[in-house]
């Protein structure tokens, strides 16, 4: 460190003594640089993008008179999936007269569960091109389970599926199956 020699004029014969001066570093440019770097990295960083599932919905008719006709789905070309509470999932291929607590089957959300059920139902369909999965979440269903079923539609390559409310006669059998009254 450099020393500054200061002459003492106090009348003691001109002795010279050295005096150390405190150095002061100006931190303003360093702070400016820090903020510039933070700003740069914030603008150039790619934040995690939300995963979005493409859900193809039919176009809304421009005219109320142009509503599409109701299409009847045959039981042999469809399977109904009921998403229940407590991560339970049920399925059937019955009408109102044929559905009871023995024909409403329970399965799981894994590969050997609902995926296998959907693939077997599609393999046994009369017209595989018109095979439709009808998803019916109950009021107690969890949103995660609904998304899992939509994922299964993509995995099993089922492009024809619909989401609808559970019918009252199905709700009675469902409640009987899960033990609610």
């Amino acid at each position: 460190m450099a020393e500054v020699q200061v002459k003492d004029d106090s009348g003691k014969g001109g002795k010279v003594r050295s005096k150390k001066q405190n150095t002061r570093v100006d931190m303003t440019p360093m702070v400016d640089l820090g903020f510039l770097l933070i700003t740069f990295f914030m603008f150039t960083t790619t934040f995690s993008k939300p995963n979005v599932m493409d859900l193809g919905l039919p176009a809304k008719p421009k005219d109320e008179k142009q509503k599409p006709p109701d299409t009847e789905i045959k039981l042999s070309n469809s399977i109904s999936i009921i998403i229940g509470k407590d991560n339970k999932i049920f399925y059937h291929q019955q009408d109102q007269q044929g559905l009871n607590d023995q024909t409403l089957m329970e399965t799981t959300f894994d590969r050997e569960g609902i995926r296998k059920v959907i693939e077997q139902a599609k393999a046994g369909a009369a017209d595989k091109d018109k095979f439709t999965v009808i998803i019916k979440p109950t009021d107690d269903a969890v949103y995660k389970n609904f998304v899992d079923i939509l994922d299964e539609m993509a995995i099993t390559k089922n492009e024809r599926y619909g989401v609808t409310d559970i019918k009252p006669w199905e709700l009675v059998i469902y409640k009987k199956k899960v033990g609610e009254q």
Side-chain angles (χ1 to χ4, degrees), residues 45-174:
T45 301
T46 304
F47 295 106
S48 63
K49 295 178 182 173
N51 294 333
V52 178
M53 180 183 295
D54 185 28
L55 186 61
L57 298 175
K60 197 172 196 179
K62 294 179 183 176
D63 210 3
E64 290 297 320
K65 297 174 186 171
Q66 292 180 347
K67 284 189 177 179
D70 290 337
T71 56
E72 186 70 26
I73 299 172
K74 295 180 183 177
L75 287 174
S76 61
N77 285 336
S78 70
I79 185 169
S80 295
I81 297 176
I82 299 173
I83 305 171
K85 68 177 183 177
D86 298 330
N87 297 326
K88 293 191 178 193
I89 184 166
F90 300 91
Y91 65 94
H92 70 87
Q93 288 182 292
Q94 304 292 326
D95 58 357
Q96 185 172 357
Q97 289 77 27
L99 185 65
N100 56 40
D101 50 344
Q102 281 82 32
T103 57
L104 182 65
M105 308 301 286
E106 185 174 358
T107 188
T108 59
F109 281 97
D110 62 359
R111 166 182 317 204
E112 295 300 317
I114 192 64
R115 188 177 305 169
K116 196 171 190 179
V117 167
I118 293 170
E119 288 171 347
Q120 287 174 350
K122 189 173 186 176
D127 187 0
K128 291 175 183 49
D129 293 332
K130 291 186 178 180
F131 179 74
T132 306
V133 178
I134 305 166
I135 304 168
K136 301 176 180 183
T138 62
D139 291 337
D140 301 328
V142 181
Y143 184 72
K144 177 193 174 300
N145 293 342
F146 179 71
V147 172
D148 288 344
I149 290 296
L150 292 179
D151 285 340
E152 290 297 329
M153 295 300 107
I155 291 168
T156 58
K157 296 180 176 70
N158 280 318
E159 296 179 1
R160 292 177 61 105
Y161 58 89
V163 180
T164 185
D165 293 329
I166 187 169
K167 304 250 188 292
W169 50 272
E170 289 173 314
L171 189 61
V172 170
I173 303 298
Y174 162 74

